[in-house]
């Protein structure tokens, strides 16, 4: 058998290293620094995003959305969030970072973060498709009672794998959908995103934590690539 070339050995080593990372939980926040995130289309983090008591906190609006430094395709994301009274925020995925888009929501679908009791968005949209944990403006949660109210922690999980997405809230599966194909295209066509040409088109991209102008907390953020 002929020996492998140096380039082949390097590529093989890289492949092994990449595969070794898949399935391994990685923290996206150590409870102290926000160095694995930056402001969308900018470098660094706005000082309105702070770390308090082991959580990333948006202390005031106008900071811009936080996005991961790294792009992700298939993954399992876990975190806890807490929203202020009357507050609104979101967790987006597969966001394309490009100067031609003003914010992550132009390209990335959103798992809603909301005070269901006080924010008007809870009663807008269709059939509850803007409630906490919904696929925003497209699919309502199957069990809205899984949600805990403003100023209480909600533990959520977002799984993207093999063209399917699943939302979990406080241990319950609440939303499931394909991320591409005819069913996805129909959902988008019936939503506020119908004319947004790049919305939901990418199979990889940044994960975003939204600045919607209201105080919101995120903690225990970890991810594993699938």
């Amino acid at each position: 058998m002929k020996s492998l070339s140096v380039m082949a050995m390097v590529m093989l080593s890289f492949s092994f290293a990449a595969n070794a990372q898949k399935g391994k939980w990685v923290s996206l926040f150590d409870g102290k620094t926000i160095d694995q995130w930056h402001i969308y289309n900018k470098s660094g983090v706005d000082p309105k995003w702070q770390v308090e008591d082991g959580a990333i906190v948006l202390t005031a609006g106008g900071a811009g959305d936080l996005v991961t430094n790294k792009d992700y395709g298939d993954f399992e994301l876990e975190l806890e969030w807490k929203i202020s009274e009357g507050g609104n925020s979101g967790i987006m995925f597969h966001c394309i970072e490009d100067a031609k888009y003003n914010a992550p929501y132009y390209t990335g679908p959103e798992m809603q973060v909301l005070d269901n009791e006080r924010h008007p968005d809870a009663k807008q949209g269709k059939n509850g498709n803007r409630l906490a944990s919904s696929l925003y403006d497209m699919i309502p949660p199957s069990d809205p009672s899984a949600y805990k109210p403003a100023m209480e922690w909600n533990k959520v999980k977002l799984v993207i794998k093999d063209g399917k997405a699943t939302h979990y809230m406080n241990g319950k599966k609440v939303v499931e959908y394909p991320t591409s194909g005819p069913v996805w295209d129909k959902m988008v066509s019936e939503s506020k995103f119908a004319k947004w040409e790049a919305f939901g088109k990418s199979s990889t991209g940044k994960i975003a934590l939204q600045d919607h102008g209201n105080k919101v907390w995120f903690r225990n953020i970890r991810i594993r690539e699938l």
Side-chain angles (χ1 to χ4, degrees):
M1 180 183 292
K2 293 182 179 180
S3 60
L4 291 171
S5 67
V6 173
M7 180 59 72
M9 291 177 68
V10 169
M11 294 301 294
L12 191 60
S13 175
F14 178 82
S15 177
F16 283 156
N19 287 335
Q21 289 300 311
K22 287 193 174 184
K24 179 180 178 181
W25 284 106
V26 176
S27 174
L28 289 179
F29 174 55
D30 63 3
K32 300 176 183 178
T33 60
I34 317 178
D35 56 3
Q36 296 192 69
W37 303 77
H38 63 274
I39 297 298
Y40 183 76
N41 280 339
K42 297 181 179 179
S43 61
V45 176
D46 188 281
K48 294 184 183 72
W49 285 103
Q50 292 284 323
V51 177
E52 298 177 1
D53 299 323
I56 297 175
V57 186
L58 177 66
T59 58
D65 299 333
L66 279 185
V67 295
T68 51
N69 295 340
K70 183 177 177 180
D71 288 359
Y72 295 93
D74 283 4
F75 62 85
E76 182 174 356
L77 174 73
E78 289 185 350
L79 60 82
E80 293 174 78
W81 61 257
K82 180 172 67 173
I83 191 69
S84 56
E85 292 189 356
N88 187 339
S89 182
I91 303 158
M92 285 160 272
F93 66 93
H94 292 172
C95 304
I96 301 170
E97 191 168 27
D98 191 296
K100 64 185 176 182
Y101 306 118
N102 293 328
Y105 60 75
Y106 283 99
T107 58
E110 176 184 344
M111 176 193 275
Q112 174 77 305
V113 171
L114 196 75
D115 174 3
N116 287 348
E117 284 74 35
R118 298 172 183 84
H119 197 281
D121 231 11
K123 294 181 175 62
Q124 296 173 359
K126 299 176 183 176
N127 303 317
N129 67 3
R130 295 187 181 182
L131 292 171
S133 77
S134 64
L135 172 61
Y136 178 72
D137 205 56
M138 288 193 275
I139 303 179
S142 59
D143 183 2
S145 69
Y147 150 88
K148 294 182 181 178
M151 299 307 296
E152 292 188 30
W153 288 104
N154 285 279
K155 184 174 182 177
V156 297
K157 179 166 66 173
L158 173 62
V159 181
I160 311 295
K161 183 172 173 59
D162 298 333
K164 186 175 79 172
T166 312
H167 298 190
Y168 297 83
M169 172 167 274
N170 299 315
K172 294 183 178 181
K173 182 168 74 173
V174 291
V175 177
E176 192 171 40
Y177 52 94
T179 56
S180 62
V183 173
W184 171 259
D185 292 342
K186 186 174 188 298
M187 288 195 301
V188 174
S189 72
E190 295 172 350
S191 75
K192 66 182 288 184
F193 310 111
K195 295 182 179 180
W196 299 14
E197 62 180 23
F199 180 80
K201 297 296 187 184
S202 180
S203 60
T204 63
K206 309 293 185 185
I207 293 167
L209 305 179
Q210 189 179 41
D211 170 3
H212 203 281
N214 308 123
K215 193 168 185 179
V216 61
W217 295 255
F218 299 96
R219 71 180 184 187
N220 295 328
I221 310 170
R222 66 175 190 164
I223 193 168
R224 62 175 177 174
E225 297 183 69
L226 302 174

